[in-house]
Amino acid sequence: MKRLALGLSALLAATFLATSAFAAGAAAATVAEPSARILRMEVAPALYELVYSPAQDAVFVASAGGFGEGAEAGRILRLDARTLEKKGEIVLSGRAFGLALDDAAGRLYVGDTTSASITVIDTRTDAVLGTVQLAEKVTTDKGKPEYPHNFRELVLDPENNRLYAPGLAAKDSALYVVDTAALKVEKVIPGFGAGVAGAVLDATRDRLYVSNLQGQLFVLNTEGPELLATAEVEGDQLLNLALDAAGERIFATDQGNEFIDKMRADVIPDYKIRGEGNRVVVMDAEGRTIRHLPTGAGPVAPLVGGERLYVTNRDDGTVSVFDTKSYELVEKIALPVHPNSLALDRERNALFVTVKKGHGEKGAESVVRIGF
């Protein structure tokens, strides 16, 4: 079990590399080379998630900084949404990984898995409003103090003054529910299996969908919140989720990472592999499969904008663009080395991507702006 925990922790830092080849059909796609519509800027080391603020016409980017003695501090970078020029930065006492933005309230929530905490920032003044400690360290069976869960995704529910933070563990994952008015943990919901990973909110239907790395989709209501149903999905490593505008389809990246398959076998030895990964699983709101969309190797982040589905393929070094009506692959955009997270300026139809360096490489990583 410990080996799986370490493997899943590597997943959080996005340092693992998928070894699978292209899924069937993906290799035939046309890969678009960098052009005038693609702007790329080196920003800071260890970039992770980013969000677009229409209120400020800015992109906020999480930089974890460095690790170890004398390492660079974690920070939030504010970039001009048109030029990617750095307009400011907020230095943190910890690290920055996952982000959630409440643009109307001028609040940015910053997740730090290394301290199991969330820092709340006023985006109008850059002041830190507070810190939510999600969990305290516990002593393992080997006598080592560790946090019981790791955290990557943050999902905001402003109508209910809540923030959801899936707590990833090798076997007993949980969902942490934060009261954003009181800035404290409201409740912790157990029972999310091996490697809880993705989450997406359907505010119009009062539903929250959560996925894990053993092919399960969980459906919760947001009034409780409480777990309503669990679906077994035709996919194995449901890393991240996106929802279409009508709330009728869920898009899940199915990683296909052989290392994670091996680690999961330590905890669930009778688990039967359901696919080859390196794809997006399209489901209805009850977890029934509608379609499989082959991607490049190591798909990470899905994002729906209008009639397009954008997917970062970390190990393939590309972004796939699908038509959400026909499910046809429109294009693949080359962004070496490792495209990671996505945000969208919906008014201008401009996509923002964090691009990480190769494993072990040092220096500033990049943000890319793509016009469509």
Side-chain angles (χ1 to χ4, degrees):
M1 185 184 302
K2 183 61 178 176
R3 284 205 307 133
L4 179 59
L6 291 172
L8 296 180
S9 295
L11 171 80
L12 296 176
T15 56
F16 66 89
L17 300 179
T19 56
S20 304
F22 276 83
T30 299
V31 177
E33 295 299 328
S35 64
R37 70 171 177 147
I38 299 177
L39 175 65
R40 183 169 182 146
M41 191 77 68
E42 288 190 344
V43 175
L47 298 185
Y48 289 92
E49 292 197 344
L50 73 173
V51 292
Y52 171 68
S53 165
Q56 298 193 26
D57 196 18
V59 179
F60 293 97
V61 189
S63 168
F67 302 91
E69 186 176 352
E72 187 171 333
R75 63 196 65 215
I76 300 296
L77 291 306
R78 180 189 281 103
L79 308 181
D80 183 285
R82 293 175 181 266
T83 66
L84 299 184
E85 178 185 353
K86 189 171 77 170
K87 293 297 187 180
E89 65 178 32
I90 305 163
V91 179
L92 306 172
S93 59
R95 307 296 172 200
F97 296 93
L99 297 179
L101 176 66
D102 186 342
D103 213 22
R107 280 189 172 192
L108 181 67
Y109 298 87
V110 183
D112 179 3
T113 192
T114 63
S115 64
S117 67
I118 296 172
T119 299
V120 186
I121 295 171
D122 185 324
T123 59
R124 295 158 183 161
T125 65
D126 292 352
V128 174
L129 300 176
T131 301
V132 182
Q133 189 64 43
L134 295 171
E136 301 294 339
K137 287 185 176 181
V138 297
T139 303
T140 67
D141 53 6
K142 294 185 178 181
K144 183 179 179 180
E146 293 180 349
Y147 293 109
H149 297 101
N150 290 310
F151 302 89
R152 53 188 301 275
E153 290 288 282
L154 301 177
V155 175
L156 187 65
D157 181 4
E159 284 294 317
N160 293 302
N161 292 318
R162 286 187 177 128
L163 185 76
Y164 303 101
L168 182 152
K171 185 177 181 181
D172 300 316
S173 297
L175 179 68
Y176 287 66
V177 183
V178 175
D179 181 331
T180 56
L183 293 185
K184 67 178 183 179
V185 175
E186 179 181 335
K187 65 192 300 186
V188 179
I189 306 172
F192 287 83
V196 68
V200 68
L201 177 71
D202 183 353
T204 61
R205 290 177 171 82
D206 300 319
R207 292 291 182 267
L208 178 73
Y209 301 98
V210 179
S211 63
N212 66 14
L213 300 181
Q214 64 175 87
Q216 294 177 316
L217 179 74
F218 303 89
V219 184
L220 300 94
N221 68 19
T222 56
E223 296 175 356
E226 61 182 355
L227 183 62
L228 300 178
T230 303
E232 298 293 331
V233 177
E234 292 179 23
D236 299 290
Q237 300 174 17
L238 307 181
L239 182 63
N240 283 320
L241 304 177
L243 192 71
D244 71 4
E248 296 175 349
R249 291 172 299 171
I250 301 165
F251 301 87
T253 48
D254 184 12
Q255 266 268 305
N257 188 291
E258 295 178 4
F259 177 73
I260 296 298
D261 281 342
K262 292 175 182 178
M263 298 300 97
R264 182 182 52 226
D266 288 350
V267 174
I268 314 173
D270 59 347
Y271 183 86
K272 298 294 189 297
I273 300 294
R274 305 168 189 181
E276 298 177 356
N278 297 317
R279 61 185 182 176
V280 169
V281 182
V282 187
M283 299 169 278
D284 65 16
E286 295 181 1
R288 293 183 292 249
T289 299
I290 298 172
R291 194 80 171 249
H292 292 127
L293 307 180
T295 63
V300 176
L303 187 154
V304 176
E307 295 179 0
R308 292 292 183 262
L309 168 68
Y310 308 99
V311 184
T312 55
N313 306 307
R314 176 181 165 81
D315 304 328
D316 191 41
T318 64
V319 173
S320 295
V321 184
F322 294 93
D323 185 302
T324 57
K325 285 189 174 181
S326 67
Y327 298 115
E328 293 295 323
L329 181 62
V330 177
E331 65 176 322
K332 290 181 76 175
I333 302 168
L335 295 179
V337 172
H338 300 306
N340 197 64
S341 298
L342 295 171
L344 184 65
D345 174 352
R346 297 178 187 275
E347 184 174 340
R348 296 194 191 101
N349 203 24
L351 186 72
F352 303 97
V353 192
T354 52
V355 181
K356 302 189 67 60
K357 287 183 173 293
H359 183 58
E361 293 184 28
K362 297 181 179 180
E365 296 182 331
S366 300
V367 173
V368 173
R369 183 187 191 276
I370 307 171
F372 287 93

